[in-house]
Amino acid sequence: MNKKWLRRILAMAMVFSLAAGSWVTGYADDGEGNIVISGDGVYEVEAGKTTKIELQVKNKGTGTAENVNLQPRVPSGVAPFRVKMQGNGDLGDMGANAYKKVTLQVTVDGDVQERSYSLPIGYTYSSRGGSARSGSMTIYLKMKGFDLEPGFAFRDMKLSPENMSPGSSAKLSGRLMNTGGQDMYQVELSLDNLTTEGISLTGGFNSKMVSKIPIGGSTAFQFPLVAAADMAAGNYPVAIKLKYRDQFGKNYEKTNQFYVNVGGVAGRKAILEIRNMQEPGGTYGVNQNFTVSFDLKNTGAVAAKDIVVTAEGVDSTAVVPKSASMKNIQSLAPGSSASMSFTFAGTSQSATQNQAIQFTVEYTSGGTAKTTFKQYAGVNISNPDKDKDGEGNTSKPKIIVSNYTCDPLIVMAGQEFNLNLTLMNTHKQKEVKNIKMFLTLAEETSSETKKSGNIFTPVNSSNTFYFDSIRPKGTVNKALRLYVVPEAQPKTYTLTVNFEYEDAKGAEYTATELLGINVKQMTELQIDDFSIPEQVEQGMPVTVGFSYYNTGKVTLNNLMIKVEGDVDCQNKNTYVGNMESGSSDYFETTFTPYGTGEVPVSIVITYEDPSGETVEQRRDMIMQVTEPAMPDDTENPDASAPMDKKHIAIGLGLLVILAGALAFFVKNQKEPPKSTAESVSGAEDLEDDFEEDDFVEEVTEVIHEDDKEGMSL
């Protein structure tokens, strides 16, 4: 055989050895092993669960590492977790550049803290020469879920029956749902704010215990309630107190208010007002009858019952009734009016002056609690005989506010309004002069420690006003522009009008008048933007979620979120309860459209402001619902992945080279060349054939490229 050709065969054998180097290792193992462990470094684990962690072990040395073993080194003390290593950590022998994967199972079953725990992983191995090696690397276990407070929501809250009458009973029921990302443990539901004079339990226990509510789970509850017999109609808060623990042992305590309606409609009361009062004009002498008439109107939402109207002179010796001084009405429906008329006369004990008459109205809204208010009228009495005795001349002149109007009638906090006053000198003979008037009102507003000063502040003027004089029985008008501080709580405020004045002789007097100003606070509920898919398939569930915030300065009562439309929704009505000022919450629901085409869906939020008025906010949307698409059966999910073209080319190239070398060798063994010249010529021809074969070069390049890639982990 030609020596040059023999070198060719040996070269091809070396090429084959290099190509097979990625599969065969350790045949020339004269170096040392070097074990390295790699991974992500930090792994999240969760209390009460088992987490799998995958590590890579590689021998970066030039020799074989024998008897490779990995062992976790759990920190001393009471660790909150247990670690189990795949195959007890025994990896056997690892040749140069070889790598293996190993799996750890970390089970967290102890009391954990909000922190990360270190877990060293130790390893040992030896080289072929017998020298022992060891080392370690550290991974960190981060406890998951500390930033996720267990969430909850009260669902299907209802009172059965919906309204309670004084002395009657009802059942408060609902479900507590775990809407958060953790399980709830040692859950305790109880009722608070119960009194024997109001809403109380009619029997049983006022709390319910549940050991665990898993994520997405719920528990039903029911409490029997009874209303006291002497309660007035209205909405009464019942506090639902919730205590629970999370999986880390952290305790939580929450309170939600549920309003129980006692009597009436939606907890609203009857409201009676005196309107169209007709006061007697002119002047009346002693024993001369005069009549005061008015309309009594119910502006509330329920009937006023057991109405008693009493009329009497403020000075009972000066003015006496000539008709029945007390009138009764059994019931007055909402929006209805009743006309009232009373007759009086002045007595000989009355001085010549304006005498006041007091009307007292007392009523109930269906219960036994009574509501009472008073209103006054005036009449001019002339008694010359009394004046001759000198008593009339010594009487003091008085200034009163005979009439006032607010524009608007109910003023809004943080806005301006007009207050029109009519001031009257009630004395028949004496003039008042050098009159000073100023307004005062200092009350608590947003807190017990923060004073707001005057609730009402004059606009573009001082708080003091001056009048030269008011003649006897004369009047003057004063128009004021006032501003209501934004922090004013919704209620009726009593504005004090103070007077300092003199009579004709310079005697100084003071007087005060009280005015009622009804203030209302604007409610503000802000809702985050949200949307639904423009097009969905029939039967495909759609999830809607949004946050909402009470950005106003008052509590929103009986807040409820509803889903309206031709959709299937498990909880179309979600009762939230009261929402304090500055608080926020998150709502999420899932619904499925019934039909196809355009399907309207609305999210409706309703609540009551402090005056009992219902406010509604809507978000109306339209979904395009299509027929469900048919599945495509042409796809073959089980199709096998294509073979690696590079390795196929390597294999074919090796087979061609080996087959050619073997054929040439066998031929030369069986058929000796005819002459030395022919032998040399045949060898040179075959040499030329191999030198001109591009396929050999391509296979050689692929082998070298594959060898380079196979060296990395």
Side-chain angles (χ1 to χ4, degrees):
M1 181 185 297
N2 186 279
K3 292 183 179 180
K4 186 176 183 180
W5 177 246
L6 181 59
R7 287 196 301 269
R8 290 279 184 178
I9 296 177
L10 292 176
M12 287 185 287
M14 291 176 65
V15 170
F16 173 76
S17 177
L18 289 173
S22 59
W23 297 302
V24 181
T25 58
Y27 295 103
D29 189 8
D30 296 329
E32 294 287 340
N34 181 20
I35 294 297
V36 176
I37 303 175
S38 62
D40 293 338
V42 179
Y43 300 87
E44 283 192 339
V45 294
E46 194 169 352
K49 295 184 179 181
T50 298
T51 303
K52 291 185 178 181
I53 298 175
E54 189 174 82
L55 302 177
Q56 289 186 344
V57 183
K58 182 176 181 179
N59 181 7
K60 287 191 174 183
T62 58
T64 300
E66 298 181 342
N67 300 322
V68 180
N69 180 267
L70 272 66
Q71 289 298 326
R73 299 172 182 174
V74 180
S76 59
V78 182
F81 54 85
R82 293 178 289 108
V83 182
K84 183 178 180 181
M85 182 79 71
Q86 175 186 351
N88 293 325
D90 293 327
L91 303 183
D93 297 345
M94 295 180 63
N97 296 319
Y99 71 91
K100 293 183 179 181
K101 294 182 179 179
V102 64
T103 301
L104 285 74
Q105 291 185 351
V106 179
T107 303
V108 182
D109 53 6
D111 293 331
V112 298
Q113 300 177 3
E114 190 173 358
R115 49 166 287 190
S116 295
Y117 293 86
S118 61
L119 177 61
I121 306 295
Y123 56 88
T124 59
Y125 64 97
S126 59
S127 297
R128 284 193 180 276
S131 59
R133 298 287 186 88
S134 65
S136 69
M137 64 91 67
T138 301
I139 63 175
Y140 294 89
L141 307 179
K142 180 181 178 181
M143 293 303 159
K144 181 181 178 182
F146 272 98
D147 55 341
L148 299 176
E149 178 179 338
F152 68 92
F154 287 99
R155 308 291 192 194
D156 303 330
M157 295 292 297
K158 65 178 181 179
L159 186 69
S160 181
E162 293 184 0
N163 297 319
M164 300 175 66
S165 300
S168 67
S169 60
K171 292 182 179 179
L172 175 61
S173 60
R175 290 187 303 113
L176 173 64
M177 176 172 285
N178 184 353
T179 60
Q182 294 190 37
D183 295 340
M184 302 170 66
Y185 297 91
Q186 298 181 14
V187 182
E188 180 182 0
L189 269 171
S190 61
L191 296 186
D192 202 1
N193 198 30
L194 301 178
T195 61
T196 55
E197 298 81 9
I199 304 296
S200 61
L201 285 170
T202 185
F205 299 98
N206 71 332
S207 64
K208 177 178 180 176
M209 297 291 297
V210 181
S211 60
K212 177 182 177 182
I213 302 179
I215 299 173
S218 64
T219 183
F221 60 87
Q222 179 175 286
F223 296 103
L225 305 178
V226 62
D230 58 349
M231 292 185 69
N235 275 342
Y236 291 87
V238 174
I240 304 178
K241 184 177 292 185
L242 173 63
K243 296 180 180 179
Y244 58 94
R245 294 179 59 187
D246 62 14
Q247 61 188 8
F248 304 105
K250 185 177 180 180
N251 293 312
Y252 298 87
E253 184 172 327
K254 306 288 183 178
T255 300
N256 271 31
Q257 297 283 354
F258 182 84
Y259 279 76
V260 176
N261 174 248
V262 178
V265 179
R268 299 182 183 179
K269 298 181 180 181
I271 302 174
L272 294 185
E273 296 180 0
I274 292 178
R275 295 186 174 183
N276 306 321
M277 179 173 283
Q278 300 295 324
E279 301 181 66
T283 303
Y284 294 83
V286 175
N287 294 324
Q288 185 179 358
N289 292 347
F290 58 88
T291 301
V292 181
S293 62
F294 55 84
D295 293 331
L296 186 65
K297 184 171 183 178
N298 182 1
T299 61
V302 297
K305 298 182 179 181
D306 302 326
I307 304 169
V308 179
V309 181
T310 305
E312 58 186 348
V314 174
D315 185 354
S316 60
T317 63
V319 177
V320 294
K322 291 293 185 176
S323 63
S325 61
M326 181 181 295
K327 295 187 178 182
N328 297 289
I329 301 176
Q330 186 175 1
S331 179
L332 189 62
S336 299
S337 298
S339 297
M340 296 282 173
S341 180
F342 296 88
T343 302
F344 298 87
T347 68
S348 60
Q349 299 299 317
S350 173
T352 300
Q353 66 180 57
N354 184 275
Q355 296 289 348
I357 301 172
Q358 174 180 284
F359 298 92
T360 304
V361 181
E362 184 180 83
Y363 63 97
T364 70
S365 297
T368 57
K370 296 180 180 180
T371 302
T372 304
F373 72 94
K374 296 180 180 181
Q375 195 156 325
Y376 297 86
V379 60
N380 293 321
I381 303 295
S382 176
N383 187 4
D385 293 337
K386 189 73 172 179
D387 295 340
K388 290 178 182 180
D389 295 337
E391 296 182 11
N393 292 328
T394 59
S395 63
K396 298 177 181 179
K398 296 180 180 179
I399 299 178
I400 65 170
V401 178
S402 61
N403 187 40
Y404 74 96
T405 58
C406 289
D407 183 20
L409 181 62
I410 299 177
V411 300
M412 300 299 297
Q415 298 183 9
E416 299 178 3
F417 70 99
N418 294 320
L419 178 63
N420 300 311
L421 304 177
T422 300
L423 311 181
M424 180 179 181
N425 176 9
T426 63
H427 205 280
K428 184 179 180 181
Q429 299 173 342
K430 294 183 178 181
E431 182 185 45
V432 293
K433 62 181 181 179
N434 197 22
I435 305 164
K436 173 185 175 183
M437 181 185 79
F438 59 95
L439 310 176
T440 57
L441 173 62
E443 290 199 10
E444 306 287 353
T445 55
S446 59
S447 69
E448 294 183 356
T449 58
K450 181 180 178 182
K451 288 278 188 180
S452 69
N454 286 340
I455 299 297
F456 307 105
T457 304
V459 178
N460 297 327
S461 70
S462 68
N463 198 38
T464 303
F465 309 94
Y466 177 79
F467 307 92
D468 287 333
S469 63
I470 305 177
R471 61 181 176 80
K473 304 302 293 183
T475 60
V476 294
N477 296 320
K478 182 63 179 177
L480 305 177
R481 183 73 173 173
L482 301 179
Y483 172 73
V484 187
V485 297
E487 295 81 8
Q489 294 301 303
K491 68 176 183 177
T492 299
Y493 290 89
T494 302
L495 178 64
T496 303
V497 184
N498 305 276
F499 296 103
E500 296 178 2
Y501 56 98
E502 300 173 357
D503 61 11
K505 296 181 180 181
E508 296 182 351
Y509 303 95
T510 60
T512 58
E513 290 284 290
L514 304 178
L515 309 180
I517 309 294
N518 191 359
V519 176
K520 186 176 181 180
Q521 183 70 247
M522 182 69 72
T523 58
E524 296 182 22
L525 180 66
Q526 180 180 342
I527 304 172
D528 280 352
D529 293 335
F530 63 91
S531 62
I532 60 175
E534 295 182 357
Q535 182 172 316
V536 297
E537 292 185 0
Q538 185 182 26
M540 182 71 67
V542 178
T543 300
V544 172
F546 56 87
S547 297
Y548 52 99
Y549 318 86
N550 182 1
T551 57
K553 294 181 173 61
V554 293
T555 299
L556 307 180
N557 299 323
N558 294 328
L559 191 144
M560 179 172 286
I561 304 177
K562 304 177 183 178
V563 179
E564 296 181 354
D566 189 18
V567 295
D568 180 21
C569 184
Q570 184 177 5
N571 296 312
K572 281 197 170 185
N573 298 328
T574 301
Y575 180 82
V576 179
N578 289 359
M579 192 172 187
E580 299 292 336
S581 173
S583 62
S584 62
D585 206 341
Y586 182 79
F587 173 78
E588 183 176 277
T589 187
T590 300
F591 52 81
T592 306
Y594 283 127
T596 58
E598 291 188 354
V599 177
V601 181
S602 299
I603 305 295
V604 183
I605 301 180
T606 60
Y607 57 88
E608 295 179 0
D609 63 13
S611 65
E613 181 180 352
T614 300
V615 182
E616 179 181 283
Q617 293 195 32
R618 301 178 63 91
R619 295 292 188 272
D620 299 321
M621 301 159 287
I622 296 180
M623 293 187 300
Q624 294 290 340
V625 183
T626 61
E627 296 285 349
M630 298 300 293
D632 188 359
D633 296 332
T634 60
E635 297 181 0
N636 183 12
D638 297 329
S640 301
M643 296 181 66
D644 191 332
K645 295 180 180 180
K646 183 171 66 177
H647 287 88
I648 292 176
I650 294 174
L652 291 176
L654 291 174
L655 290 176
V656 171
I657 295 172
L658 292 176
L662 181 61
F664 180 79
F665 179 77
V666 172
K667 181 178 179 181
N668 280 274
Q669 290 293 326
K670 292 183 178 181
E671 299 180 8
K674 298 177 181 180
S675 64
T676 304
E678 291 179 356
S679 176
V680 171
S681 176
E684 290 177 351
D685 292 340
L686 186 58
E687 178 181 353
D688 293 338
D689 291 340
F690 276 96
E691 288 177 352
E692 295 175 358
D693 195 345
D694 294 334
F695 181 77
V696 174
E697 294 182 7
E698 180 180 354
V699 171
T700 305
E701 291 176 1
V702 170
I703 292 173
H704 281 275
E705 180 181 350
D706 183 69
D707 185 60
K708 292 178 181 179
E709 294 179 356
M711 294 297 289
S712 61
L713 180 57

